[in-house]
Structures are given as structure tokens and as C-alpha cells.
Amino acid sequence: MPQRTGELPPFKKPKLASTTLPLPSGSRRAMLLTTPGTKRHPSSSSSLSSSSSSSSIGIDSQRRSLPIFQARGTLLGQLRTLDCAILIGETGSGKTTQIPQYLYEGEIGRQGIVAVTQPRRVAAISLATRVSDEKKNELGKLVGYTVRFEDLTSDETKIKFLTDGMLLREAIGDPLMHKYSVVILDEAHERTIHTDVLFGVVKAAQKKRKELGKLPLKVIVMSATMDVDLFSQYFNGAPVLYLEGRQHPIQIFYTKQSQSDYLQAALVTVFQIHQEAPYSQDILVFLTGQEEIEAMTKTCRDIAKHLPYGCPQMVVMPLYASLPYSQQLRVFQVAPKGYRKVILSTNIAETSITIAGIKYIVDTGMVKAKKYTPQSGLEVLAVQRISKAQAWQRAGRAGREDSGFCYRLYTEDEFEKFDKMTVPEIQRCNLASVVLHLLALRIPNVLTFDFVSKPSPEALQAAIEQLALLGAAEKKDDQLILTPLGKKMAAFPLEPKFSKTILMSPRFHCTEEILTIVSLLSVDSVLYNPPSRRDEVQAVRKKFISSEGDHITLLNIYRAFKNISGNREWCKENFVNSRNMMLVSDVRAQLRDICIKLSIPLESSRSDTWAVRRCLAYSLFMYTAELQPDGTYATTDTHQPVAIHPSSVLFHCKPACVAYNELLHTSKCYMRDLCVVDADWLYDAAPEYFRRKLRAAKNGP
């Protein structure tokens, strides 16, 4: 193993930057609520570790040390009089944890519940835990949370953290949101698909409640950075309140030349910093996904063993959504004396969590995001460039407690060509779930719904067609409505294709098996694959592997897990994530309850996996591929070239026809989570759909 890791990519002279974007456009309407230089205690920010934090200075002292504390009176005075406000404040100013408490303490919105939405479940849970600690109250009483398949609230709950998707689901049953007096839409700059739909839903609820003379609904939109003009105009000229905290300077470095291999550039940069900086200063590297992070974790650990004498020790920690919770928590622990912590993370570390001790940021400028082409019906998870707003969010991670450094592995000219803001998810993904939700909300015309950023008419039309093919929607008197099947599909907190799978299962007498498979696909991966123990993993997994594909393999693993009553030692020996597996059991129980409410017969096909695969084929017919004469695969409908992902049990096989869950685009287009199906089943499932595709193929473009 070499002692040197190559030369650092040549960097341009640094620029000084603050931890936040400059005051946003439209800031002439903004009111400055705090003064620069407000002191902030390092552990005050919300983070995954918040549940365990209770420093010697005490929680009350921490609350008073937050930048937002000085603005409390002014802020409450403003929010008391406003129906709607846009609040811009840097991450760590305390806005997410304190504003719900200020509203409650100031008796604003006491008549109902204060809802605070988060794009990620991990943030909703950790924030609720933190705020309940601050209120010295048991979690689930005054302060609670609701995330998909998990509800920790009670009749006493007055401050409720929940994912944007869960509030949207609640709105289906109650479009006026009667139980809420305040809705806080947090992390709005992330522009997730659910948050964007919620903007329209809460705006409509607020207007309708006013017209009916009901209890007013207060709406607060919060963000670290945002296109202020767009949101202020959308909410009828709502005023912008700007929270400013202490800004530690960050030196920004750009590379002199464009980097052809951002992974190699990141590796070299990490070790150059490691050999020159004091060991107490930690490094955070932004990468795009699990495979990339695991591979670089192994490389870093290997190189660190062969560094020259006198160099600090290195502890390398991966961080991504599907990592076991206990291992995610490790990133918040202080490194042992003489060690430097190097965290390799996806964009999970951009906004929703805060890690103390970070002095250096290495930003590859890349992210994995969904891209959808309505014309081809192709939705892929692709690696792409971040936006300028994301770049500033990443840089700001280094200036939380002190001055910091950010190494951007791209040139300044490249940075100037980045999009200003992240393209909203609603403009780059399949809208089938959105349209299903809107129809369930009894929106008269989904094509004219009041979106903040309108998706293309083609994308909406493609979603309508997809729902029609699934039998969920139909035209009646020139109006699009949900069919009885569609109403049942909307009852499940799942993608339409999975709701349809469950509803199809009684036909094949395999509902119990389908509930298990859908539950396994609805949580983060239950399989743990440490790269350093690849051979060992393959050896123990052999007994579960099915030649019929990943779905049946997962079913085998779950059955074995249930047979040993969820034994943790068994999970460890078989490289199974026990926490995620327990979550699968919870999810399955809730889906089963929904089935019972809908009077769906619960039958088991037992060892008959043919019935299970046929059921999957009947609902995933739009997500299938066939083997071509040259040994490659092409999707059944659009003939897009695709390949089997290396993580699949079918990687070394060549089945004639497969159904898959998603496409991942890296060096090529990979199919993930596969099931062997019969081509004839597909044509039986949707004859008109395939006849139309066949005609289109014959007629050419």
C-alpha cells in the first residue's frame, strides 16, 4: 500500500464566505430579527444525537444561548398578527426547535395543534425527542411525532413533528386540517414532492377556513435558503422574516482544473488535509450513495494503516439513510484522543442533521437524484450536479462552531454554471402518487391545481395514464375521478404500484406473502453488506437465495427471521439489520390492519411462489425487461437498454423476463430488486397497454 496518496488537486486561492447564502432575493421586504454575532452553543442545533444531549450547562441555558432567543419577543409579535410568514434562518439558529415552543408558550395557536413538517423521518423523530427534552416532558405527551408506519402522539399532544408525506395523508381524511391551528412547513428549500403539494393544500385549507368563519389556520414556511420572491408571491405577498445568527468565516477553495474523477480527487484531498491539519479537526465528505461510500470507507481505512509515523490516526465513518441506526449515531461521538474523524456522507448531512467538530468539508459537487422522462415513462436515480444552494448548504457545515474550510472539487467557472436552486422534485419525478393524493383530496381538476412550481403537462398526463392503466382513475363527465379500486389504493401509504400489488393478491391467494414483500421494500435495506466481509456474507446468504429473484429471497429471509422470533444474534450472524427487520414487522402489521378495514381476504400461498411472482407481474407490468438475442436486457415497453444490478441474486443469471422495482443510473442503467416473471403474464395483465406499445414500435418514432 503506498504511503502517499497522490498530489492534491491544485486549488485556487481561497475565497471567504459566510455560513449562509447572502440575504435572499426579495429581501427588501425582509425584517431582520436578530443581530449578527449572536453567540451559539455548539450542541444547540438539532441533530440525530439530540436525544442523548444534556450538557453541563443545562437545556434551559442552551435554549437561551441560541441566536433566535434574542428575537423571541419581536418574532412572537410578528407571528401573532400574521396569517402567513416566510422565515429564513441559518441551520443552527434554533428556528425548528424553538418556534413551535414559542408559539405554545405565547398561547398562539393553543386552540389546536402546532404541526411541524420535515422532509426526512430521522429529522422528525430526533427533533421531537429534542423538544420533549427541552419541555421536560415524556415524548408522545405534549410533544410527539408521526412518521410513516410510526405514530407517537396522544390526546395531550400540542406540538407534533411529522413528515410532509404524513400530513398530506392526514389531509386526505380532513382537507381543512381542523385539528391544526398552525402548520410550519420546515426545510422548504429541499422542495420535496410532498412539501410542494402541501403548499397548495394548506393554502386552500387556510382560505376555506376563513370563508367558513372557522378557526384560522396560521402557515409558517421555514428554510435556511430559498427563492423568497417565489414563495412570498405564492402566499399572497406574505412578509419575509430573516433570522441572523453568528456567522463563522469559511474559506472556500476551488480546483484550478476540472476533475475527471471526483472520487479520486476526494480521496487525495482527504489525506492531504489529514497529514497537515491538527487531529482534533474533523472532515466531512459529500458523496452520492451507499456503494460509493462503502468502497471509499474501505480504501481510506487501508491507506490509513500505511501512513508515515507521526501522522494522526483516522477513524472513518460512513453515513447514509439505510445504515443501521446505531451506526448512524456513531458519527456524533467524539473521536478518541489522537484520532481524526472522517465522515463520508450522502446529502443526508446537508440540512437535517448537525455533526459537531467538523472543520473541513470536501464537496464533490455531486448528488444522486431522481430523474423522470414522461415521454418514455423512465424514472431513474441518477448521479448529477448539485445546485448553488446545495453547495452553500454543504459549505456551511464547516462553520457551525468556529471558522472552517470547504474544498470544492470543481472549478469556480463550473460552480457559476450550477443551477441557482435545486430543481423541485415535483418537476423531475413520476407524479402517479401525487395525482392519486390529489384525486383522493377531491381536487376538481388536477391539471389546474395551484402548484408553487408547476410540473409539465406531459408529466401530469403520464401520471393520469398510469393510474388509468392500474385501474385507479377514470374519466366521468369530462372529470377525472378515482375508481372504487383507486379509493382503496389511496388508503395505503404506498406507491400506487405497491397498493395495486396488495389489492391484486387475493386473486392469487397470496396476500400474506405480498404484504411481507411490500413491507420489506418499504423500509431501508434489511441486508447489511460490509465490503470487507463480502465472501462471508455470500456464504451465509446462500441458504436464503432463490433462483426466482430478490423478492422471493427477501421473503425467505423474513420467514427465517420470524422462525427465530427476531433473535438479534441470528441477525448479526446473517448480516441482517435487526432494527430495520423489526420495522418491517411493524409496517406489515399496519398494512394488514388496512387490509382488514377494506375487507381484503388474508390468505397464504405458503410454498407456492409461482402465485407470488404472477401477482407481482400483474402489478409491475410497467416495470419489466426482456432478455435480447445479444444477451443484454431492454425494458418491455420503451426498449431502454438496462442491466441487472450487481447486488441482485440474479446478477450472474439470464432469465428471459424480469420485473424490477427501480432503475438506478450510474455508469449504465441498472435494474434493482428483481423477480423472474413470464412474458405471457404481462400481456394477460395489461393487453391494451402492450398492444399500444407494439403498434408504436412498428410505426417507429
Side-chain angles (χ1 to χ4, degrees):
M1 189 63 65
Q3 288 196 343
R4 290 190 59 79
T5 57
E7 291 304 313
L8 183 70
F11 285 92
K12 284 179 73 173
K13 193 179 173 190
K15 294 186 135 195
L16 272 177
S18 77
T19 57
T20 55
L21 278 164
L23 208 62
S25 64
S27 57
R28 57 190 173 279
R29 296 188 310 281
M31 171 177 286
L32 201 66
L33 292 174
T34 60
T35 53
T38 311
K39 187 170 168 35
R40 176 170 75 241
H41 190 270
S43 60
S44 62
S45 318
S46 67
S47 82
L48 266 172
S49 60
S50 59
S51 59
S52 59
S53 69
S54 184
S55 71
S56 56
I57 64 165
I59 280 177
D60 289 339
S61 302
Q62 286 184 34
R63 284 189 72 191
R64 285 193 292 273
S65 73
L66 286 165
I68 196 172
F69 183 74
Q70 289 188 5
R72 188 182 187 278
T74 316
L75 188 58
L76 280 175
Q78 286 287 317
L79 294 179
R80 205 179 291 278
T81 59
L82 295 170
D83 287 336
C84 188
I86 316 294
L87 187 71
I88 306 293
E90 66 170 290
T91 309
S93 59
K95 61 186 184 301
T96 306
T97 55
Q98 302 309 301
I99 285 175
Q101 295 184 71
Y102 292 170
L103 292 170
Y104 176 77
E105 291 157 4
E107 300 194 354
I108 299 171
R110 271 275 185 107
Q111 310 94 316
I113 298 170
V114 175
V116 190
T117 69
Q118 293 294 317
R120 295 183 178 92
R121 61 179 287 135
V122 76
I125 296 168
S126 61
L127 287 163
T129 308
R130 173 70 196 184
V131 174
S132 68
D133 285 351
E134 291 185 2
K135 297 305 290 179
K136 301 177 178 65
N137 199 284
E138 186 188 335
L139 185 61
K141 297 285 180 69
L142 175 68
V143 184
Y145 68 82
T146 303
V147 297
R148 193 165 75 141
F149 303 121
E150 200 177 339
D151 183 7
L152 195 60
T153 59
S154 64
D155 293 341
E156 298 171 46
T157 302
K158 287 291 181 184
I159 298 172
K160 180 173 167 181
F161 288 85
L162 69 176
T163 51
D164 42 20
M166 287 314 297
L167 186 57
L168 191 55
R169 289 205 64 75
E170 286 186 22
I172 291 173
D174 178 18
L176 293 186
M177 302 184 172
H178 286 100
K179 64 181 175 186
Y180 298 106
S181 51
V182 183
V183 172
I184 298 172
L185 300 165
D186 196 16
E187 304 286 18
H189 60 275
E190 290 205 22
R191 300 299 302 275
T192 67
I193 194 162
H194 289 135
T195 298
D196 263 30
V197 175
L198 269 177
F199 285 134
V201 171
V202 296
K203 185 180 174 184
Q206 187 183 49
K207 185 184 174 191
K208 193 77 176 163
R209 275 165 60 160
K210 197 175 242 180
E211 287 169 0
L212 295 171
K214 291 187 180 290
L215 178 74
L217 178 65
K218 201 177 286 291
V219 179
I220 301 169
V221 179
M222 298 201 306
S223 175
T225 58
M226 205 165 58
D227 187 342
V228 169
D229 279 337
L230 175 73
F231 283 87
S232 179
Q233 285 163 18
Y234 181 75
F235 284 103
N236 308 313
V240 179
L241 310 176
Y242 187 78
L243 264 175
E244 195 173 272
R246 185 175 186 182
Q247 297 182 333
H248 298 292
I250 297 168
Q251 286 189 288
I252 304 286
F253 295 82
Y254 294 91
T255 58
K256 285 184 177 174
Q257 287 93 33
S258 183
Q259 300 299 304
S260 58
D261 184 345
Y262 66 85
L263 292 174
Q264 175 63 17
L267 192 66
V268 170
T269 306
V270 163
F271 278 96
Q272 213 73 24
I273 294 167
H274 180 61
Q275 291 179 74
E276 293 166 8
Y279 73 83
S280 58
Q281 299 172 351
D282 298 334
I283 304 170
L284 171 61
V285 186
F286 283 100
L287 300 171
T288 71
Q290 179 178 344
E291 284 95 348
E292 217 171 70
I293 288 169
E294 290 290 4
M296 192 174 283
T297 299
K298 184 179 185 305
T299 307
C300 285
R301 286 171 180 166
D302 288 346
I303 294 173
K305 290 173 191 169
H306 299 82
L307 288 173
Y309 177 76
C311 206
Q313 297 290 307
M314 179 186 284
V315 53
V316 188
M317 296 177 176
L319 180 61
Y320 48 84
S322 61
L323 194 69
Y325 190 68
S326 58
Q327 290 185 48
Q328 288 184 10
L329 288 177
R330 283 179 60 218
V331 303
F332 301 104
Q333 294 165 6
V334 178
K337 194 169 172 59
Y339 280 78
R340 181 194 318 285
K341 197 162 60 175
V342 175
I343 297 161
L344 308 179
S345 177
T346 59
N347 60 336
I348 192 175
E350 261 177 38
T351 53
S352 56
I353 56 174
T354 299
I355 305 162
I358 299 296
K359 181 83 171 178
Y360 294 90
I361 298 296
V362 178
D363 177 14
T364 58
M366 308 302 280
V367 70
K368 200 179 279 180
K370 279 183 184 173
K371 276 186 178 177
Y372 178 64
T373 313
Q375 292 79 5
S376 65
L378 201 65
E379 185 175 42
V380 295
L381 204 53
V383 173
Q384 62 188 51
R385 282 291 192 193
I386 58 172
S387 65
K388 284 182 179 174
Q390 279 177 289
W392 285 111
Q393 283 290 337
R394 290 179 175 191
R397 304 294 93 193
R400 300 303 301 271
E401 301 157 23
D402 202 350
S403 59
F405 302 89
C406 177
Y407 289 85
R408 290 178 169 169
L409 304 182
Y410 39 89
T411 66
E412 195 166 3
D413 287 344
E414 285 172 325
F415 172 72
E416 290 305 326
K417 290 172 189 167
F418 286 7
D419 290 340
K420 185 183 171 191
M421 304 300 292
T422 306
V423 177
E425 190 183 358
I426 205 155
Q427 293 181 338
R428 53 181 172 82
C429 75
N430 187 332
L431 299 177
S433 287
V434 171
V435 173
L436 187 70
H437 277 132
L438 294 178
L439 291 174
L441 283 160
R442 296 181 288 283
I443 301 295
N445 187 347
V446 294
L447 294 169
T448 58
F449 180 73
D450 187 11
F451 290 105
V452 180
S453 303
K454 280 197 180 299
S456 71
E458 293 83 12
L460 280 168
Q461 202 57 52
I464 291 167
E465 283 176 23
Q466 194 177 329
L467 290 176
L469 280 165
L470 289 170
E474 63 182 1
K475 275 268 178 78
K476 201 172 187 181
D477 303 326
D478 282 340
Q479 198 174 340
L480 189 69
I481 59 162
L482 283 183
T483 62
L485 177 71
K487 285 175 184 170
K488 286 182 177 180
M489 284 168 65
F492 290 94
L494 300 165
E495 286 180 55
K497 63 184 180 187
F498 291 141
S499 305
K500 175 69 182 282
T501 311
I502 292 172
L503 292 166
M504 285 295 294
S505 62
R507 180 173 170 180
F508 301 98
H509 312 287
C510 60
T511 305
E512 297 284 11
E513 285 72 25
I514 289 297
L515 283 174
T516 299
I517 289 168
V518 169
S519 303
L520 283 156
L521 298 173
S522 298
V523 305
D524 292 326
S525 178
V526 295
L527 303 179
Y528 179 49
N529 299 307
S532 57
R533 301 171 73 181
R534 191 167 284 133
D535 294 343
E536 206 180 328
V537 172
Q538 285 174 345
V540 298
R541 292 260 170 84
K542 267 183 185 169
K543 55 184 176 284
F544 305 119
I545 287 174
S546 166
S547 58
E548 294 174 304
D550 300 306
H551 297 82
I552 307 300
T553 300
L554 284 170
L555 181 62
N556 292 341
I557 292 170
Y558 183 80
R559 281 173 168 168
F561 172 79
K562 294 308 280 184
N563 285 341
I564 50 85
S565 306
N567 182 289
R568 281 181 179 272
E569 203 49 49
W570 179 91
C571 289
K572 206 171 176 183
E573 287 166 12
N574 290 278
F575 300 95
V576 169
N577 182 325
S578 60
R579 186 176 180 273
N580 286 358
M581 210 50 139
M582 294 304 291
L583 186 57
V584 169
S585 297
D586 293 343
V587 170
R588 193 184 183 285
Q590 290 184 48
L591 294 178
R592 204 171 186 274
D593 286 345
I594 296 169
C595 287
I596 291 166
K597 282 176 192 161
L598 297 174
S599 304
I600 295 168
L602 296 163
E603 295 178 87
S604 171
S605 63
R606 304 194 186 283
S607 58
D608 182 6
T609 52
W610 177 90
V612 176
R613 292 189 296 115
R614 190 155 189 183
C615 181
L616 288 165
Y618 266 65
S619 42
L620 299 177
F621 60 86
M622 285 179 270
Y623 304 86
T624 53
E626 286 185 297
L627 185 65
Q628 304 303 299
D630 64 356
T632 62
Y633 282 90
T635 56
T636 319
D637 54 358
T638 59
H639 304 291
Q640 161 81 22
V642 287
I644 295 174
H645 195 272
S647 65
S648 172
V649 299
L650 299 176
F651 183 56
H652 295 295
C653 309
K654 292 281 184 184
C657 189
V658 292
Y660 58 84
N661 281 358
E662 67 173 352
L663 294 175
L664 171 69
H665 198 282
T666 48
S667 53
K668 58 172 92 167
C669 218
Y670 285 112
M671 300 178 283
R672 279 218 293 214
D673 298 319
L674 288 90
C675 176
V676 177
V677 296
D678 191 315
D680 291 342
W681 298 345
L682 306 179
Y683 296 105
D684 289 346
E688 184 49 43
Y689 173 71
F690 285 105
R691 271 200 292 272
R692 206 165 65 226
K693 292 288 178 187
L694 207 59
R695 279 199 299 272
K698 278 181 182 172
N699 295 333

